[in-house]
Amino acid sequence: MAVKSIISRPVYGTLSPQPGSDHLLIADAEGAAAILDLAKSAPADFFAEAEIVFIPRDTGEKYIAALKALQPARFYEGPSIAAALPRLRQRLSTAHMGLRLYLTGTEGLIGQAMQAALEAGIDHKSIQTEQRGSLARRVQCVHCKGITEDVTTQPARCSHCGLMLLVRDHYSRRIAAFQGVCINAEDPSQVPPMEEMFK
Amino acid sequence: MGIVFRDETFRDDFTFKNSPEHIRRFPFPFHEDSYMYAVNIEPHVPGPKGSVLENLIDVDEHYVSEMRDRALVLAEDPLRCQSLPHMTLAGWDLLELLMTEQAKGYPEHFSLTRDGDKWHWINRPLGIDHHFVFGDLTTLPYGPMEYITRQSQGDFCILDQRDGNLWMDAGIVTTQADWSLDFDIGMNFFEWHAPVPLAHEKGIFTRALKFLTNIQQGKPARRLNWTMTINPRLDTSPENYHKWGADRATVTPENVGQKVHLRVELQSFWRLPRSNAMVFPIRCYLIKMDELVTSRKWARRLHRVIRDLPEELATYKGLTLYRPTLVEWLARYDDGAETSPGFGPD
Ligand code: HEM
C-alpha cells in the first residue's frame, strides 16, 4: 500500500478567525495550542460569544489555564471524546446558520466532531480543521464493524473481534474512521510484527 | 424458449459452472494482448443475439441461484443493502427500470402490467406474483430498491448527483470484487475510487466523472472491468475476507482449471427519470480457466495479459500469491500465434 495520502483522506488546514460572532471551538490534547495560536490573530471580541469544548487527554492541566484566560463565554472540559459527544450533538442540533466551527487536535476528535456536525446539517464549508499532536488513528474493522480508538501501530489488533488489521489510508467521513482489513487472511499462520506507525 | 436455470452454489461446495452456450457468450474483457486502465466507456446499446448484450439488463442461467446467494448474504449482513433517506424516489425509479427491462427482454419469465399507480409484477423463476401501488412503500415487503434488486442479478449502486459530483448514497452489494458499501456509502466519485492505483494520476477519474454527469435519460453507457476470483464465490467482500482470503493460497498446477476464475463486471450507467440520480448496475460474470481455454484465442490472450500485467494492478487485484502458477498453467495454451483484434472467441 502506498504511503502517500489518498483522496478519501481528509486534508486539514490551519485555524484562522472567521467573521461572525458565534464561534464553537472543539479541541483535544495538543489542539489547545492551535486555539491559542488562533487567539493571537483574533479580534478583541472574538471570544465574547465563543464556546470552547476541550478534552485534555494526556495533556492534563497543561492548557486549561491558558484556554480559560481567553475568557470564552462558555468553557467545557470533558473527560473523553465519547463523553463530550451527546452534549456536542445537542449544541449542534440547535445551532444557528451563522455558527462557525473550529475542530482541532487528533484526527479522531476532528472526525467525530465533523461527523456530528454533518449529521446536524452544518455546511462543511463553515467548518475549519487543524490537526495537532498524536497521529493516532480511529479504525473501523471492516469485518466486525467495531471501532478501535487511538491506533498507533501497523498492523493493529481489533479491540472487538481480535483480528490483526492492516490499517489502510482509505477513510470514511461518515464513519469518521480509517478502514482496517485482516492482514494475514491469505495465510493466518503468518503474524507480522506490529510497528509504531501513527504517533 | 425460456432460459433453463441452473441449480448451483457460489459457496461451500461451489457447484457453479457455465453451460457451453454460456461459455461462448462470456463477456471476455480484453480486446488486445495487454491491459491498462483507460476511460473505456461506450454507449450501452443492444448487441448481437445470444450475447450478454442482447438485452440491456441481462438475465442468464445463473439467475435463480444468484438470487438465492444474495438472500443468504443479506440474512447474514443487512449492511450490504443501504439507502440514505433522500434516495427512496431513486429506488422507485430503479424498480421501474428493472421491471420494465426484464419484462421486455424475457416475457416468458417476467411480466409487468401497469394501470396508473396499480402495478402487477410476475416473476415466474422466483415464484412471485405481486400487486402493489407504485410509490406506496406500504405495499412492498422491502424498500423499492431492495425489493427489485433481490430479483435482479448484479450489484447496484445508486448515485445522487450534486455539486458536479456523484455520491454513493444507496446500494445493494453482495457480489463485489472486494469493496465495502457500508464503508463507502456517502462518499463521492473520487473518494470511493481512492484505493485504485495509477488511474487517478492518469486523469481517468476526472474524465470519467465528466462523462457520467452528462449522461441523459434513455442513453445509458457501459464499460467492462475485471479481476480474478478463487472458487466461484460471488461474495468476495472485504467483510468476509478473513474467511475467503486463504482460498488464494490453495491454487496448485493441478487445480488451476477448476479453481481460478476470471471475473468480469459489465458495468452500466443509467440516468433515472424522477430523481435525476444515476444507477450503476455491476453485473458479475464468472468463468473457470478450464471453460475459458476452450477458446484458443482467449487462452492465448489471457496468458499474455496476466503475464505482463503491471505489478500495481496485480497487487490491487489480489493476484500476487497465485499469479506464477496461473501464468505457467496458461502458457501451455499459448503457442505464440497472433490473436485477432477484438473481444470475441475465434
Ligand atoms: C458511478 C459509477 C461507478 C461506481 C459506483 C464505481 C465504483 C467503484 C468501486 C467501489 C471500486 C473499488 C474501489 C476500491 O478498491 O475500494 C471501483 C474500482 C474501479 N473503478 Fe469504478 N465506479 C464507477 C465508475 C467508474 C468509471 C466510469 C470508471 C472509468 C474508467 C471506473 C474505473 C474504475 C477502475 C479502473 C477501478 C479499479 C478496478 C480494478 O482494477 O479491479 N469506475 N469502482
Side-chain angles (χ1 to χ4, degrees):
Chain A
M1 176 115 337
V3 194
K4 78 177 156 65
S5 191
I6 63 173
I7 288 169
S8 54
R9 177 129 189 231
V11 177
Y12 306 106
T14 306
L15 299 188
S16 67
Q18 297 301 297
S21 60
D22 192 6
H23 305 284
L24 173 56
L25 303 98
I26 304 170
D28 72 345
E30 297 298 333
I35 294 182
L36 296 174
D37 284 350
L38 166 139
K40 287 176 198 156
S41 59
D45 60 350
F46 181 86
F47 286 96
E49 290 295 322
E51 172 171 354
I52 295 179
V53 170
F54 181 53
I55 294 112
R57 305 181 61 155
D58 59 359
T59 62
E61 290 294 314
K62 182 173 168 194
Y63 292 111
I64 305 283
L67 287 175
K68 282 186 175 162
L70 300 173
Q71 298 190 314
R74 288 172 299 282
F75 181 82
Y76 163 82
E77 181 189 333
S80 68
I81 299 173
L85 277 175
R87 176 180 207 287
L88 183 60
R89 286 200 193 95
Q90 171 64 15
R91 171 78 170 83
L92 292 168
S93 69
T94 57
H96 298 291
M97 275 291 287
L99 178 75
R100 303 290 166 185
L101 205 51
Y102 307 79
L103 313 177
T104 176
T106 62
E107 279 195 278
L109 177 282
I110 298 172
Q112 289 176 85
M114 178 76 84
Q115 182 186 40
L118 296 177
E119 274 166 16
I122 291 179
D123 184 359
H124 70 96
K125 289 191 277 296
S126 64
I127 307 175
Q128 290 213 333
T129 57
E130 180 171 343
Q131 204 271 320
R132 287 272 182 130
S134 164
L135 294 174
R137 290 183 170 191
R138 196 165 184 265
V139 176
Q140 187 196 43
C141 172
V142 75
H143 311 291
C144 79
K145 305 293 179 184
I147 288 183
T148 304
E149 305 281 350
D150 298 318
V151 168
T152 58
T153 62
Q154 179 75 287
R157 194 169 292 286
C158 174
S159 62
H160 302 264
C161 70
L163 282 175
M164 191 69 102
L165 303 177
L166 171 77
V167 180
R168 302 181 73 194
D169 285 334
H170 198 27
Y171 183 88
S172 160
R173 264 182 287 143
R174 193 182 64 93
I175 304 170
F178 291 88
Q179 188 176 64
V181 179
C182 181
I183 197 167
N184 56 354
E186 290 183 351
D187 180 1
S189 70
Q190 282 202 349
V191 184
M194 283 190 182
E195 285 175 46
E196 286 283 329
M197 277 274 283
F198 318 111
K199 272 191 268 191
Chain B
M1 198 198 76
I3 305 164
V4 180
F5 297 105
R6 290 181 44 81
D7 182 4
E8 60 193 355
T9 57
F10 302 90
R11 55 180 69 211
D12 306 323
D13 57 350
F14 296 111
T15 59
F16 163 90
K17 64 178 181 142
N18 288 299
S19 65
E21 300 75 52
H22 275 60
I23 294 175
R24 269 193 299 283
R25 80 199 281 278
F26 187 79
F28 189 72
F30 308 111
H31 62 91
E32 56 187 7
D33 287 355
S34 62
Y35 179 79
M36 180 32 86
Y37 294 146
V39 188
N40 54 336
I41 311 177
E42 60 180 351
H44 190 33
V45 290
K49 216 174 154 34
S51 76
V52 300
L53 298 174
E54 179 177 348
N55 294 297
L56 296 185
I57 295 292
D58 180 45
V59 176
D60 70 12
E61 64 181 359
H62 308 296
Y63 174 74
V64 172
S65 296
E66 283 190 24
M67 292 303 96
R68 196 186 308 140
D69 196 71
R70 162 156 294 161
L72 290 172
V73 175
L74 291 172
E76 272 173 22
D77 183 0
L79 295 173
R80 303 302 190 83
C81 178
Q82 298 193 39
S83 177
L84 298 183
H86 58 282
M87 297 303 281
T88 308
L89 184 60
W92 287 108
D93 275 335
L94 178 60
L95 174 140
E96 177 184 47
L97 174 72
L98 291 175
M99 285 187 177
T100 310
E101 289 294 324
Q102 298 195 81
K104 190 171 78 187
Y106 308 90
E108 63 279 46
H109 299 303
F110 305 96
S111 94
L112 176 67
T113 322
R114 301 161 66 148
D115 172 13
D117 286 349
K118 294 194 190 68
W119 291 28
H120 181 199
W121 168 245
I122 302 175
N123 176 337
R124 292 183 194 88
L126 297 184
I128 294 168
D129 183 324
H130 194 157
H131 294 267
F132 64 96
V133 178
F134 186 85
D136 182 348
L137 289 173
T138 62
T139 60
L140 290 181
Y142 306 99
M145 175 187 75
E146 179 168 357
Y147 177 72
I148 194 57
T149 57
R150 279 176 177 267
Q151 303 178 46
S152 307
Q153 284 171 278
D155 285 341
F156 294 84
C157 302
I158 311 184
L159 301 321
D160 193 26
Q161 185 163 328
R162 48 179 203 273
D163 303 335
N165 213 324
L166 294 170
W167 303 82
M168 196 183 289
D169 287 348
I172 183 159
V173 173
T174 66
T175 70
Q176 68 284 259
D178 202 7
W179 67 277
S180 168
L181 172 74
D182 181 50
F183 195 77
D184 287 2
I185 197 160
M187 289 188 191
N188 69 37
F189 190 78
F190 299 112
E191 291 170 341
W192 80 63
H193 278 123
V196 180
L198 305 179
H200 294 273
E201 296 87 324
K202 289 174 182 288
I204 285 176
F205 291 124
T206 315
R207 275 179 289 146
L209 178 64
K210 193 166 284 171
F211 184 92
L212 294 185
T213 49
N214 284 315
I215 282 183
Q216 284 161 26
Q217 201 202 321
K219 297 207 169 116
R222 66 171 173 245
R223 67 182 287 267
L224 293 175
N225 188 45
W226 69 278
T227 187
M228 305 206 79
T229 302
I230 304 311
N231 297 325
R233 188 188 294 279
L234 284 176
D235 180 29
T236 47
S237 59
E239 278 79 1
N240 286 328
Y241 174 57
H242 57 308
K243 299 176 190 159
W244 58 263
D247 292 359
R248 289 176 176 162
T250 62
V251 177
T252 64
E254 293 70 41
N255 67 20
V256 167
Q258 287 296 308
K259 260 205 188 286
V260 180
H261 293 70
L262 177 61
R263 180 185 192 111
V264 173
E265 293 175 349
L266 171 57
Q267 310 178 334
S268 52
F269 313 94
W270 310 66
R271 177 73 60 201
L272 295 173
R274 297 170 187 78
S275 57
N276 198 43
M278 165 112 34
V279 65
F280 180 63
I282 311 162
R283 179 73 156 75
C284 167
Y285 297 88
L286 293 167
I287 189 168
K288 294 177 197 304
M289 289 301 104
D290 276 345
E291 295 171 345
L292 184 133
V293 298
T294 59
S295 157
R296 293 306 303 270
K297 172 179 166 185
W298 288 353
R300 284 189 198 105
R301 181 162 285 170
L302 185 66
H303 170 243
R304 298 167 196 179
V305 167
I306 301 294
R307 181 192 63 200
D308 303 337
L309 192 69
E311 200 55 47
E312 291 95 330
L313 270 67
T315 306
Y316 175 76
K317 291 174 188 286
L319 318 184
T320 310
L321 211 50
Y322 58 87
R323 176 150 78 148
T325 313
L326 173 60
V327 170
E328 200 169 311
W329 188 88
L330 284 169
R332 286 194 262 149
Y333 298 90
D334 187 354
D335 52 10
E338 244 183 76
T339 51
S340 57
F343 297 97
D346 313 288

